[in-house]
Amino acid sequence: MGELKLMKGNEALAEAAIRAGADAYFGYPITPQSEVIEYLMAEKPHERTGMVVLQAESEIAAINMVYGAAGAGKKVMTSSSSPGISLKQEGISYIAGAELPCLYVNVVRGGPGLGTIQPSQADYFQSTKGGGHGDYRQIVLAPASVQEMSDFVKEGFDLAFKYRIPVLILSDGVIGQMMEKVELFDPIPRWTDEEAIANSPWATTGKKNGTERRIITSLDLDSHKMEEHNIKLQEKYKEITKNEVRYELIDCDDAEYIFVAYGSSARIAQKAVQLARAKGIKAGLFRLITLFPFPTVKMREMCGKGIKGFLAVEMSAGQMVEDVMLAVRGCAKVEHFGRYGGIVHTPEEVLAALEQKIIGG
Amino acid sequence: MAKVRGAIVVDVEKCKGCGVCLPACPTDVIDLASEVNGKGYHYAFMNQPDECIGCSNCAIVCPDGVITVYKVKLNR
Amino acid sequence: MAEITLQDIIKPENLVYKKTDLMTDKPLSYCPGCGHGTAHRITMEVIEELNLAEDTIGVAPVGCSVLAYEFMNVDMTQAAHGRAPAVATGIKRVWPNKVVFTYQGDGDLAAIGTSETIHACNRGENIVIIFINNGIYGMTGGQMAPTTLPGMKSSTSPYGRDVAMMGNPLKMTELVAQLPGTYFVTRQAVHTPAAVRKAKKAIKKAFENQRDCKPGLSFIEIVSNCNSGWKMTPTDANKWMEENMFPFYPMGDIKVDGQLVK
């Protein structure tokens, strides 16, 4: 059993970065995720593991530092919250285009604009449908506990290097700020320079005599080659969709009604399942762990098995619900419920929405 | 007394005929050809090869790096 | 004196100058007479002479020199517009023993990338920045740059840069020289053999500073021409540059070994 600690989600994530053998973190403070860089600075990872931690002059600079270091074959990450993530989108598009592995974290707050510092899940579209320009996708992991804030760092880096893709941990202000018991995984040593070079032969680490030089770019002015590159990216996304869908089904075996939720909304919806069952309503929870790839096949499959309706529960005006509709394709009722702008819904509100919109509607 | 003789070789197909090498030449060796290369540029050439002293000035200012320079010392 | 033929002179043993192998054989995408090619070449000559090629990682900008990675035969990363100093910071921080440089134009470095430039300089990142200032946006077709001279015509200042309306040209090099994080700051040119020799010396010093872990960033501005954007022949552009750009952007070292000299 690993070391047990009581930690904030943001702190667990930062500790996990050190333990996952990250080579560098580049960030810029923003509420509600500033604890990530504060924790890292206090922990002196440069002494613990040799990990670099640098406070950049902006979110834009931070993601471009990630781009440079990721292109040089190192394990790097950044974190921010919604407005800061918007600033990073150009860099993320470049990272996706140049097929670089990296991890970044969005501890989502309410928007649009400067919005609020309170929790939200309104960045679903930005996270799963692109965010920056161009036809690209990224793997999106949605932690629902402090434990997952830690675990997904390790998993995120593994996926990033497996597919040479940016991986996003899409958290929210609740998960980032709450304290919970967490079992920390045992530290993984950082790669040596030789290991980094061997793991990423494509990276810019200095052209050795007699070898071809490495170029990190997302540019190709030859449209035919650019299309080929795009096709290759799409093939990769298909592969990811085939292999990497992750979800958790809670009380779904005999369920007639399904809450679909992720992150902190999933915790609330789980309580709503219990409240519903106490009233004799057969409810279950489909908790999304990967938002991209989305568990379309599984959701579609469930449709035909006595499910009468799906309620998409999310702290937004209705974003994930569109993917639920696309999965279900009209074979069951799909509705949305969620508070937004920084308000967190209660289990009672969620149950009431099920009764009104799905059962009674 | 040693006399120096030089020569340049211009990669004609890569020369863009910009003419930056002309004023760089201390002995007015280079001119632009009246003929053009495959890209339609009037390329640089040694109009007065006997005057070349192999100083490399032309090659040093050539933006496209198309000039190679040779030099020999002659003993008289 | 015996007659000597060209065939006698053009022999491998008589070779005194050829393009470095650290420039690829790909024809440069720059306009005829553009200083970019010369600046590329002397940068690569320095890396070759210092025997640093195996440990060098370059960062290309957005602008005319976006394709610098096609021509510079070392490992290269292409950065988003203006972000090269941040990209170089990321590389240098995780590979402190490598030699990292950026190659940027004036739009990239002095407009959209001002923040990244100033902060990389101020942090004293141990990198080299090569800054090509031709007073114009070349790639997009000759628009006004932050470095366009007062009264100078461009496609977005067709009647000349009106300082009252469009603001003043920015002297980035003087500005970064004031920051404690810069170690070597100089302004050079590459339009004559003498200028090229001086510029190359400066670039060599910059890379030596990095190799020897001197504390701070080495920043080299190269005032260059844009004959297409300025709508002149290459030789006229060089003359115009001497007469108009040099008085505003004077040549020479501004900071040497961490000390202001101008």
Side-chain angles (χ1 to χ4, degrees):
Chain A
M1 183 141 186
E3 189 184 341
L4 286 178
K5 266 194 161 179
L6 182 69
M7 297 181 99
K8 266 191 176 189
N10 288 337
E11 293 169 348
L13 179 111
E15 175 62 29
I18 304 171
R19 288 176 179 243
D23 294 302
Y25 170 94
F26 301 104
Y28 186 80
I30 183 172
T31 307
Q33 66 78 56
S34 297
E35 293 86 356
V36 176
I37 188 165
E38 287 171 351
Y39 182 94
L40 286 171
M41 285 297 188
E43 276 297 308
K44 297 186 180 171
H46 49 283
E47 288 177 11
R48 270 177 67 180
T49 67
M51 175 185 177
V52 171
V53 183
L54 184 64
Q55 182 171 330
E57 65 269 32
S58 67
E59 287 90 348
I60 298 170
I63 193 67
N64 282 284
M65 289 173 187
V66 167
Y67 174 81
K74 297 281 185 160
K75 237 185 209 185
V76 287
M77 65 180 290
T78 185
S79 67
S80 190
S81 179
S82 308
I85 295 291
S86 291
L87 284 170
K88 289 182 193 290
Q89 290 305 329
E90 176 195 44
I92 292 160
S93 174
Y94 273 63
I95 289 168
E99 294 190 89
L100 303 183
C102 79
L103 183 66
Y104 77 105
V105 184
N106 183 359
V107 182
V108 182
R109 58 189 252 183
L114 201 49
T116 169
I117 60 170
Q118 305 300 333
S120 168
Q121 295 180 312
D123 297 353
Y124 180 93
F125 282 155
Q126 184 195 55
S127 308
T128 60
K129 312 290 177 187
H133 58 281
D135 263 330
Y136 75 89
R137 299 287 182 149
Q138 58 197 0
I139 296 175
V140 185
L141 301 171
S145 62
V146 173
Q147 185 65 52
E148 286 183 340
M149 284 290 268
S150 166
D151 295 346
F152 287 0
V153 171
K154 191 164 98 178
E155 189 167 3
F157 273 127
D158 289 346
L159 288 167
F161 275 86
K162 183 175 175 187
Y163 293 102
R164 286 182 63 180
I165 193 171
V167 174
L168 166 60
I169 295 181
L170 187 72
S171 184
D172 61 61
V174 175
I175 306 294
Q177 293 294 325
M178 71 191 290
M179 287 189 95
E180 262 185 336
K181 186 179 75 181
V182 54
E183 184 187 345
L184 296 165
F185 57 85
D186 292 335
I188 304 162
R190 283 179 51 232
W191 291 333
T192 62
D193 287 352
E194 294 69 30
E195 284 170 335
I197 290 169
N199 290 340
S200 303
W202 45 265
T204 51
T205 53
K207 168 188 134 68
K208 295 297 164 231
N209 223 345
T211 60
E212 277 292 298
R213 72 192 194 287
R214 277 70 56 94
I215 295 168
I216 302 297
T217 184
S218 55
L219 173 72
D220 204 320
L221 294 173
D222 179 337
S223 300
H224 292 284
K225 284 193 190 155
M226 200 66 228
E227 188 187 36
E228 263 172 46
H229 177 62
N230 267 280
I231 290 168
K232 185 181 149 213
L233 290 179
Q234 294 304 320
E235 292 300 324
K236 174 160 83 179
Y237 304 147
K238 271 184 210 155
E239 195 63 23
I240 290 168
T241 304
K242 207 169 76 190
N243 300 333
E244 307 298 349
V245 174
R246 290 161 175 61
Y247 54 84
E248 185 187 9
L249 300 177
I250 297 170
D251 292 335
C252 286
D253 286 349
D254 64 340
E256 294 177 343
Y257 304 101
I258 303 283
F259 296 115
V260 184
Y262 66 93
S264 51
S265 277
R267 298 172 73 107
I268 296 159
Q270 194 175 348
K271 181 67 189 173
V273 169
Q274 291 168 9
L275 295 178
R277 293 232 167 215
K279 285 177 86 172
I281 300 166
K282 285 183 177 171
L285 170 64
F286 195 128
R287 178 170 83 93
L288 307 176
I289 295 173
T290 53
L291 306 185
F292 179 84
F294 192 86
T296 307
V297 175
K298 181 67 189 174
M299 213 169 273
R300 174 80 184 157
E301 211 178 272
M302 283 170 77
C303 260
K305 294 179 182 162
I307 306 288
K308 293 175 181 165
F310 292 84
L311 184 68
V313 183
E314 47 179 335
M315 291 188 286
S316 75
Q319 299 187 15
M320 175 195 67
V321 64
E322 291 189 8
D323 281 337
V324 178
M325 285 174 173
L326 285 170
V328 167
R329 276 182 277 169
C331 84
K333 193 165 186 181
V334 177
E335 291 290 345
H336 163 262
F337 174 74
R339 300 289 301 271
Y340 40 98
I343 302 285
V344 180
H345 32 245
T346 64
E348 289 77 16
E349 285 176 315
V350 171
L351 176 59
L354 178 75
E355 290 177 312
Q356 285 158 22
K357 293 185 166 191
I358 302 279
I359 301 172
Chain B
M1 182 190 161
K3 183 176 157 54
V4 170
R5 273 291 306 273
I8 63 168
V9 175
V10 176
D11 186 339
V12 168
E13 285 310 313
K14 283 190 188 152
C15 177
K16 293 173 184 162
C18 69
V20 172
C21 53
L22 271 62
C25 178
T27 53
D28 290 330
V29 171
I30 311 171
D31 211 339
L32 298 182
S34 51
E35 302 86 43
V36 294
N37 65 13
K39 292 253 167 68
Y41 291 123
H42 295 278
Y43 53 88
F45 79 111
M46 282 200 291
N47 194 27
Q48 303 192 69
D50 292 349
E51 301 299 319
C52 181
I53 55 170
C55 70
S56 301
N57 275 2
C58 54
I60 285 167
V61 289
C62 173
D64 291 275
V66 303
I67 302 176
T68 307
V69 186
Y70 299 87
K71 182 159 93 172
V72 289
K73 276 183 185 157
L74 303 173
N75 294 310
R76 45 167 117 197
Chain C
M1 181 189 128
E3 277 303 307
I4 184 159
T5 66
L6 279 180
Q7 283 74 18
D8 295 328
I9 303 171
I10 300 171
K11 284 180 177 168
E13 61 265 33
N14 298 331
L15 180 73
V16 288
Y17 190 93
K18 81 184 251 292
K19 175 179 74 74
T20 165
D21 289 339
L22 288 185
M23 287 293 286
T24 64
D25 289 327
K26 203 168 172 132
L28 296 173
S29 50
Y30 305 111
C31 303
C34 173
H36 267 306
T38 314
H40 280 24
R41 197 182 70 248
I42 59 176
T43 303
M44 289 298 108
E45 284 175 358
V46 164
I47 288 167
E48 185 179 45
E49 286 164 21
L50 296 177
N51 200 22
L52 295 173
E54 295 202 356
D55 289 311
T56 296
I57 302 161
V59 182
V62 169
C64 284
S65 49
V66 64
L67 291 171
Y69 60 80
E70 297 270 357
F71 314 123
M72 295 178 171
N73 198 3
V74 292
D75 276 5
M76 295 282 289
T77 294
Q78 194 282 315
H81 199 21
R83 315 300 174 218
V87 172
T89 298
I91 299 170
K92 184 70 182 182
R93 291 283 178 139
V94 297
W95 288 103
N97 298 325
K98 302 285 175 190
V99 172
V100 181
F101 74 93
T102 73
Y103 185 100
Q104 304 174 256
D106 43 37
D108 193 83
L109 180 140
I112 193 166
T114 316
S115 167
E116 285 77 6
T117 304
I118 286 176
H119 284 280
C121 287
N122 199 43
R123 281 193 304 268
E125 297 295 338
N126 192 16
I127 59 172
V128 173
I129 291 181
I130 296 170
F131 164 43
I132 309 296
N133 172 12
N134 58 11
I136 210 158
Y137 282 84
M139 185 175 74
T140 43
Q143 293 83 11
M144 185 177 69
T147 46
T148 299
L149 298 174
M152 185 174 166
K153 286 182 181 170
S154 74
S155 68
T156 51
S157 56
Y159 308 106
R161 182 176 192 148
D162 175 355
V163 168
M165 179 174 127
M166 302 160 180
N168 293 285
L170 183 57
K171 294 185 179 181
M172 271 311 268
T173 306
E174 277 79 357
L175 203 154
V176 301
Q178 301 303 318
L179 304 173
T182 49
Y183 187 75
F184 175 46
V185 180
T186 186
R187 182 181 284 120
Q188 301 290 333
V190 292
H191 65 309
T192 65
V196 175
R197 288 190 174 98
K198 264 194 190 163
K200 186 173 163 186
K201 226 181 208 172
I203 293 172
K204 195 166 201 171
K205 191 170 169 59
F207 278 95
E208 283 169 347
N209 287 343
Q210 184 176 174
R211 180 197 63 190
D212 300 341
C213 300
K214 292 284 162 53
L217 187 146
S218 293
F219 188 99
I220 296 154
E221 173 179 343
I222 294 174
V223 177
S224 192
N225 58 6
C226 178
N227 46 76
S228 296
W230 298 354
K231 306 195 189 312
M232 296 174 195
T233 67
T235 41
D236 285 351
N238 283 342
K239 196 158 166 277
W240 190 90
M241 175 173 74
E242 279 184 349
E243 288 167 1
N244 297 277
M245 296 280 279
F246 289 7
F248 194 87
Y249 298 113
M251 292 293 112
D253 295 343
I254 300 172
K255 196 177 196 178
V256 180
D257 297 344
Q259 301 298 319
L260 286 169
V261 294
K262 203 183 262 183

